[in-house]
Amino acid sequence: MSKLDNFLQQALNAGSISGTSLIISLYGDALLHRGGEVWLGSLATQLEGLGFGERFVRTSLFRLNKEGWLEVERVGRRSYYRLTESGRRQARRAESKIYRAAQPEWDGKWLLLLSEGLEKNRMLQVKKELMWQGFGTLTPNLMASPSQRMAEVQSFLHESGVAENVICFEATAPLPLSHSALKSRVESCWQLSDKNALYGEFIDTFRPLLPLLREAGDELTPARSFNLQLLLIHFYRRVVLKDPLLPDELLPPHWLGQSARQLCINIYQRTAPGALTWVSANSETTVGELPPPGSGWFQRFGGLQPPE
């Protein structure tokens, strides 16, 4: 067993992995820019190298279909799963956070959302989604974010059917005298200490992989590249999607988000060519081979090199 295989096994043993979450990571990373569709048998082949069997894959796909992430088309005895329109939108929202090259620039403005007249359970659902997008809760009915675009948030509110119950405001940053109070409020509203600890765990897990990749040579096969990249993005995704991506001015000292992102970029750049080759060779759609990756794939992390 190579050192890369040992690393994979240790990472897999580090914690439980949800099948639905892992397959969404796979679709978002490997298939979103290549049509978003693949044969069940292809998915089973791709996850076999990580020790997950066909039953695991079938059960996870069934759940994702029920949850509205994937739709299925049967051609003869074969089942092909593709992202639904809703699943594609959610994957693209996630992609904008996962594959950023840097923290967002900030113009000093805040976007405030005041909810009125929403049924309690519906409000909780909307707030959960907004928190996933980077909003923090200032009061039970007031949420805020310094890094969201008004048009994108209004689009989400319309898609969720709550646009008439949420008032949007833009506000400027506070006066210098209230800066310390704001920093304290930011820590409590976004629970940054907890998120920083998650980044630390990610760094501790994947930092040993970088020197192994530098020394790997021919051991970094396409199959290993795919396995390593999928685990990398899956673990990173679980952390970064909880990150509100606050601007540097609002972050506490010793924030680990930038270090975790750079580590992810450095590893991804080394595994991406081989992983792309592996996915192309082991994926089948209803019309045959996967299409080549679209331009969005090459823009990840500030720019990836096309395969040779």
Side-chain angles (χ1 to χ4, degrees), residues 18-254:
S18 160
T20 54
S21 182
L22 181 65
I23 289 177
I24 286 301
S25 295
L26 191 158
Y27 269 86
D29 188 60
L31 302 174
L32 179 62
H33 288 283
R34 307 191 69 175
E37 173 194 273
V38 75
W39 173 43
L40 184 154
S42 299
L43 288 172
T45 297
Q46 290 163 5
L47 293 177
E48 184 180 15
L50 292 175
F52 300 109
E54 186 172 336
R55 183 178 180 182
F56 172 93
V57 175
R58 286 182 179 274
T59 301
S60 301
L61 290 173
F62 176 80
R63 291 173 179 167
L64 289 168
N65 177 242
K66 289 294 185 183
E67 293 170 4
W69 274 94
L70 300 175
E71 58 189 6
V72 59
E73 179 179 352
R74 292 179 174 83
V75 180
R77 300 180 63 180
R78 294 191 169 193
S79 298
Y80 297 83
Y81 287 83
R82 69 174 63 90
L83 288 164
T84 61
E85 189 56 40
S86 171
R88 191 178 292 273
R89 285 197 302 268
Q90 292 184 72
R92 290 199 180 279
R93 287 195 188 109
E95 182 180 46
S96 68
K97 295 186 74 172
I98 296 169
Y99 301 99
R100 297 187 71 94
Q103 292 290 104
E105 295 183 1
W106 191 37
D107 59 3
K109 292 182 179 179
W110 289 79
L111 182 57
L112 305 177
L113 303 181
L114 178 65
S115 58
E116 292 289 345
L118 272 177
E119 186 268 330
K120 183 178 179 180
N121 288 337
R122 186 70 184 119
M123 184 171 72
L124 289 175
Q125 290 177 337
V126 173
K127 286 178 69 174
K128 182 178 179 180
E129 176 68 20
L130 287 169
M131 290 171 68
W132 183 80
Q133 294 187 34
F135 279 84
T137 302
L138 297 181
T139 70
N141 292 333
L142 182 65
M143 303 189 76
S145 173
S147 58
Q148 301 295 321
R149 297 178 181 176
M150 176 75 82
E152 293 177 359
V153 173
Q154 288 182 322
S155 175
F156 161 73
L157 295 174
H158 279 286
E159 290 172 12
S160 302
V162 299
E164 294 183 359
N165 301 97
V166 179
I167 305 171
C168 301
F169 300 93
E170 279 192 339
T172 55
L175 297 173
L177 288 176
S178 60
H179 187 70
S180 60
L182 172 63
K183 294 273 282 189
S184 175
R185 189 68 171 163
V186 164
E187 165 61 36
S188 62
C189 287
W190 279 272
Q191 299 178 326
L192 296 183
S193 295
D194 294 342
K195 294 173 174 60
N196 209 32
L198 292 175
Y199 273 130
E201 292 174 7
F202 172 82
I203 292 170
D204 290 343
T205 298
F206 282 92
R207 186 160 44 196
L209 176 58
L210 202 53
L212 297 181
L213 290 174
R214 295 190 185 110
E215 302 167 0
D218 293 340
E219 287 191 358
L220 186 59
T221 61
R224 287 192 178 110
S225 294
F226 171 79
N227 291 335
L228 291 167
Q229 183 168 298
L230 178 56
L231 272 193
L232 171 79
I233 289 301
H234 181 64
F235 278 75
Y236 184 63
R237 175 178 178 266
R238 294 196 303 191
V239 183
V240 76
L241 291 187
K242 298 176 183 178
D243 186 345
L245 295 181
L246 299 175
D248 289 335
E249 297 93 315
L250 299 175
L251 290 172
H254 313 300

Side-chain angles (χ1 to χ4, degrees), residues 34 269 271-278 280 292-294 297-298 304-308:
R34 307 191 69 175
Q269 288 175 338
T271 59
L276 201 63
T277 298
W278 172 255
S280 296
W297 185 88
F298 297 101
L304 295 172
Q305 292 297 320
E308 296 180 0

